[in-house]
C-alpha cells in the first residue's frame, strides 16, 4: 500500500499544487493530511473569512479535480491548531459528498487492513487560536501567552480567558484515552498534529522541545505501528531527521518550508514501510 503524508500546508497554493503533482506521479492509495491546512496570512481579524474563502474557492475545487482524475485515492484530513475549527462544517460537507474522510477522533480502515486514527489537538501555544489547544499533562508548565486568546464562532472571533477555558476542557491525556481503539495496535496508524515530546520531531530553532508529553506517553503505552505528526515546522531540518522511534513505533514529521512541499511517501503495511521525504535524504534505519 502507498501513502502520502503531509501537514502544515497553511493554504499556500504552490504547496497544494506540488502535492497534486506528487499524487499524480505516485498514485497513492491514501493521502493523509495532518492539520494546519488553511491560510494564516493577512489581517488577523479577517482570518476566519480568509480561511473560509480558501476552502470554498481553492481547496474544494482542487479536491474535486484530483478525485475525478484519481478516484481510487482516498483523502483523509483533519484540522490543526492554526485552522479555525468553526470551518469544520465545510469539511463535513465535503465528506458528505465523498471528497474526503475526516479523521479527528475517528477510526478508518484502509484497503490493506491498516487502521487510521486522528487527533488534532496540541498543547497550549503562545498564539491566539485556542480552538485546537488542550492542557497536556497536569504537571507540565504551560507556554506563556503572547497574543490575545480567542475562539472561532458563528459571530466571528470571541476573545476568552485562557486559564478558565482550559480548565473547562479535558486534557490531552484524557482525550487521547477516549480515542477509538484499533482492533490491532500492530496495524494502527495515528495521525496526530502535535509530535511527541523529546524526539527528533519537536525541536525548535533554539534546540528546545515543544511536543506533547501526553502524546509521547500514549505512544509508549500503546505502541502503534506508525505515528505521523506536524506542527513544529523546523524540527526535521534542525534535528536532521524526520523520523524517530519510541519503542517499536516509527514516528515521523515531514516539517514545513513555504517554498517547497515537505511530504513523505510511504509504501508497505503491518510488516513495515519503506519511505522517502520530498526534500530531505531518507535517514538510516533507526534502532
Amino acid at each position: 500500500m502507498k501513502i502520502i503524508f503531509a501537514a502544515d500546508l497553511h493554504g499556500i497554493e504552490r504547496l497544494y499544487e506540488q502535492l497534486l503533482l506528487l499524487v499524480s506521479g505516485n498514485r497513492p492509495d491514501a493521502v493523509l493530511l495532518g492539520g494546519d491546512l488553511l491560510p494564516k496570512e493577512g489581517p488577523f481579524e479577517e482570518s476566519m473569512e480568509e480561511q473560509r474563502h480558501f476552502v470554498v474557492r481553492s481547496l474544494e475545487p482542487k479536491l474535486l479535480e484530483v478525485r475525478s482524475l484519481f478516484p481510487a485515492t482516498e483523502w483523509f484530513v483533519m484540522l490543526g491548531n492554526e485552522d479555525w475549527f468553526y470551518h469544520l462544517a465545510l469539511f463535513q460537507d465535503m465528506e458528505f459528498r465523498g471528497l474526503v474522510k475526516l479523521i479527528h477522533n475517528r477510526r478508518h480502515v484502509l484497503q490493506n487492513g491498516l487502521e487510521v486514527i486522528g487527533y488534532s489537538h496540541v498543547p497550549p501555544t503562545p498564539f491566539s487560536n485556542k480552538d485546537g489547544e488542550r492542557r497536556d499533562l497536569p504537571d507540565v508548565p504551560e507556554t506563556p501567552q503572547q497574543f490575545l486568546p480567542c475562539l472561532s464562532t458563528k459571530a466571528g472571533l470571541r476573545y476568552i480567558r485562557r486559564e478558565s477555558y482550559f480548565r473547562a476542557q479535558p486534557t490531552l491525556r484524557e482525550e487521547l484515552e477516549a480515542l477509538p481503539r484499533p482492533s490491532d495496535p500492530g496495524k494502527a496508524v495515528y495521525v496526530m498534529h502535535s509530535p511527541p515530546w523529546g524526539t527528533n520531531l519537536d525541536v525548535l530553532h533554539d534546540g528546545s522541545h515543544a511536543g506533547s508529553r501526553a502524546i509521547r506517553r500514549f505512544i509508549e503505552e500503546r505502541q502503534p505501528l506508525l505515528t505521523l505528526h506536524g506542527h513544529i515546522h523546523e524540527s526535521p531540518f534542525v534535528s536532521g531527521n524526520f523520523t524517530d522511534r519510541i519503542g517499536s513505533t516509527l514516528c515521523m514529521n515531514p516539517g514545513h518550508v513555504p517554498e517547497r512541499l515537505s511530504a513523505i511517501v510511504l509504501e508497505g503495511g503491518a510488516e513495515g514501510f519503506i519511505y522517502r521525504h520530498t526534500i530531505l535524504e531518507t535517514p538510516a534505519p533507526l534502532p
Side-chain angles (χ1 to χ4, degrees):
M1 181 174 195
K2 187 176 289 186
I3 296 170
I4 290 176
F5 173 70
D8 303 293
L9 300 177
H10 288 292
I12 299 173
E13 296 282 358
R14 75 174 71 87
L15 298 185
Y16 276 96
E17 294 296 336
Q18 291 171 24
L19 175 62
L20 297 185
L21 287 174
L22 189 65
V23 170
S24 175
N26 287 271
R27 308 290 179 91
D29 300 287
V31 177
L32 307 179
L33 299 184
D36 280 0
L37 308 182
L38 307 181
K40 60 174 185 176
E41 301 300 326
F44 178 72
E45 295 294 337
E46 299 174 10
S47 59
M48 279 187 66
E49 186 65 10
E50 177 192 25
Q51 290 192 0
R52 188 189 73 81
H53 282 170
F54 175 77
V55 174
V56 173
R57 298 177 181 178
S58 182
L59 182 57
E60 183 176 327
K62 283 181 172 64
L63 288 169
L64 282 167
E65 177 185 2
V66 74
R67 290 306 308 271
S68 67
L69 293 173
F70 311 110
T73 298
E74 294 186 289
W75 288 69
F76 299 85
V77 306
M78 69 185 191
L79 300 181
N81 66 293
E82 295 198 70
D83 300 324
W84 293 114
F85 277 42
Y86 180 76
H87 299 313
L88 181 62
L90 298 174
F91 287 85
Q92 290 169 333
D93 180 67
M94 287 191 284
E95 182 177 47
F96 179 76
R97 291 184 288 126
L99 297 181
V100 300
K101 293 182 179 180
L102 298 177
I103 58 175
H104 173 62
N105 279 342
R106 296 197 198 171
R107 168 183 167 270
H108 296 276
V109 180
L110 301 182
Q111 297 169 10
N112 66 346
L114 294 181
E115 301 174 56
V116 173
I117 300 168
Y119 184 69
S120 294
H121 296 158
V122 305
T125 75
F127 309 118
S128 290
N129 189 338
K130 299 303 162 192
D131 285 350
E133 294 186 6
R134 298 289 187 268
R135 291 171 297 158
D136 199 16
L137 295 174
D139 57 345
V140 175
E142 293 185 4
T143 303
Q145 189 71 36
Q146 296 179 12
F147 301 91
L148 288 174
C150 57
L151 303 174
S152 60
T153 73
K154 183 178 181 180
L157 299 179
R158 178 168 67 88
Y159 290 90
I160 61 170
R161 293 182 180 274
R162 187 176 95 153
E163 292 75 14
S164 58
Y165 171 72
F166 283 147
R167 284 197 299 269
Q169 306 300 318
T171 63
L172 274 166
R173 175 70 169 175
E174 290 167 337
E175 290 189 336
L176 290 169
E177 289 299 316
L179 286 176
R181 293 290 186 104
S183 60
D184 179 358
K187 295 183 177 180
V189 177
Y190 283 89
V191 181
M192 298 170 158
H193 188 59
S194 175
W197 184 85
T199 62
N200 294 328
L201 314 182
D202 74 324
V203 185
L204 299 175
H205 285 297
D206 64 3
S208 63
H209 294 274
S212 166
R213 288 171 171 84
I215 286 176
R216 176 168 189 135
R217 183 179 297 181
F218 180 86
I219 296 170
E220 290 172 343
E221 293 172 351
R222 301 295 179 86
Q223 291 291 276
L225 173 68
L226 175 69
T227 65
L228 301 170
H229 309 272
H231 188 43
I232 309 300
H233 295 179
E234 66 268 33
S235 187
F237 306 101
V238 174
S239 71
N241 205 324
F242 63 91
T243 68
D244 210 330
R245 194 173 288 280
I246 298 176
S248 62
T249 300
L250 178 63
C251 310
M252 297 184 171
N253 175 6
H256 163 90
V257 291
E259 300 80 18
R260 186 176 170 191
L261 177 69
S262 294
I264 303 171
V265 182
L266 305 98
E267 193 162 5
E271 71 285 353
F273 292 95
I274 58 173
Y275 47 86
R276 64 179 177 86
H277 194 281
T278 54
I279 298 176
L280 297 168
E281 293 183 5
T282 300
L286 293 163

